[in-house]
Amino acid sequence: SCYKEMFSGCEKLNSIKVGFSNWADETYPATQNWLNGVSVTGTFECPKALSSSRNESHIPNDWKIGNPKYLCFTAQKAGAQIALIKNGTPTDIQFQTSDNGYIWNNYTIGETKTLSATGDYIYFRANDIYSTMGNSENNCYQFTLSAAPIAASGSVMSLMDSTCNMSSLLGTYTMANLFKDCTYLTQAPKLTATKVSAYGYYKMFAGCTGLKTAPELPATTLNVACYHSMFLNCANLTTAP
């Protein structure tokens, strides 16, 4: 039981990555109570061979399984729906979705994904590495959210990079309109790019009336109009980046 009570009582702990693929419970539970009393919600990243059993000695009940860098949508009420549509002719990208962070399926543009229960979640990513997404205001990808409130987390960069290592937003209008008019969006994802292209986030969250807090903007290299109308008509926004 070498991991016994290892993080017990670490109430702020909300992310763990492990490399083992077996819980080693045969004789003495190796991880007995190791996550007892940690944060109620968090992310657990592990090899796909590891059993996803839920308890304080394995994976906490309400933690997500997967890479916390991937763009993720979590239902705040049952029945929330998500779709990704294509306007015009943006870069041709094969997107993928996952409900566990390690088994991925190709996504059909326009397909509606339903989160049946409160707390259900879905990840989105590209199947490879792409340099751009959109290329103009009318040639872009756009999420549509419906039926119930949804919180986003993880980084939008997973939509362009399956490894989640890309730090530069290239091309013009790359993520323009991405969440435009998503009135059911209550929490924005992370915008982790440190370099943002011209019009890169144009109208990205315009009309997102469910947002109260804007995401942080860590970029230090900014190009012309990169934040143009980014939060246009976000009527309930109270906290700026």
Side-chain angles (χ1 to χ4, degrees):
S1 54
C2 58
Y3 290 89
K4 183 178 180 180
E5 299 181 353
M6 184 175 183
F7 299 109
S8 183
C10 297
E11 58 185 26
K12 300 294 184 180
L13 183 65
N14 61 10
S15 179
I16 285 183
K17 179 178 180 180
V18 302
F20 54 79
S21 57
N22 188 297
W23 289 109
D25 290 335
E26 291 80 9
T27 305
Y28 299 103
T31 55
Q32 184 178 2
N33 294 329
W34 77 315
L35 296 179
N36 181 39
V38 297
S39 175
V40 174
T41 59
T43 304
F44 192 91
E45 188 177 358
C46 61
K48 64 181 180 180
L50 185 67
S51 167
S52 58
S53 59
R54 302 284 188 154
N55 56 63
E56 61 196 15
S57 293
H58 289 173
I59 304 172
N61 288 330
D62 293 321
W63 279 34
K64 297 182 178 71
I65 299 174
N67 188 332
K69 294 181 180 179
Y70 291 132
L71 177 62
C72 182
F73 295 97
T74 303
Q76 295 187 301
K77 288 186 178 180
Q81 296 183 325
I82 306 154
L84 180 59
I85 62 174
K86 180 167 67 173
N87 299 314
T89 55
T91 301
D92 189 16
I93 297 177
Q94 176 61 67
F95 296 102
Q96 296 180 320
T97 60
S98 173
D99 60 5
N100 57 28
Y102 50 75
I103 298 176
W104 294 87
N105 297 296
N106 287 344
Y107 174 77
T108 301
I109 291 295
E111 178 185 2
T112 297
K113 296 290 188 178
T114 301
L115 302 176
S116 300
T118 301
D120 281 359
Y121 57 91
I122 187 169
Y123 292 103
F124 276 80
R125 75 173 188 183
N127 73 327
D128 205 339
I129 299 174
Y130 298 83
S131 59
T132 61
M133 282 179 59
N135 53 62
S136 76
E137 182 178 3
N138 297 316
N139 297 315
C140 61
Y141 288 98
Q142 184 176 358
F143 281 103
T144 63
L145 311 181
S146 58
I150 295 175
S153 58
S155 173
V156 293
M157 297 305 286
S158 71
L159 296 174
M160 297 174 62
D161 175 16
S162 59
T163 69
C164 296
N165 291 323
M166 185 182 293
S167 60
S168 295
L169 203 64
L170 305 176
T172 57
Y173 292 95
T174 302
M175 292 191 176
N177 300 325
L178 189 60
F179 298 99
K180 183 182 178 185
D181 295 326
C182 285
T183 57
Y184 282 98
L185 184 67
T186 60
Q187 177 180 292
K190 293 181 179 179
L191 308 181
T192 54
T194 56
K195 178 180 180 180
V196 184
S197 59
Y199 294 91
Y201 293 149
Y202 177 73
K203 291 187 178 180
M204 189 177 194
F205 297 103
C208 291
T209 54
L211 280 183
K212 294 183 179 180
T213 301
E216 294 182 4
L217 302 177
T220 54
T221 302
L222 308 177
N223 285 283
V224 62
C226 60
Y227 297 143
H228 188 340
S229 301
M230 187 175 180
F231 299 101
L232 180 70
N233 294 326
C234 289
N236 291 304
L237 196 69
T238 58
T239 304

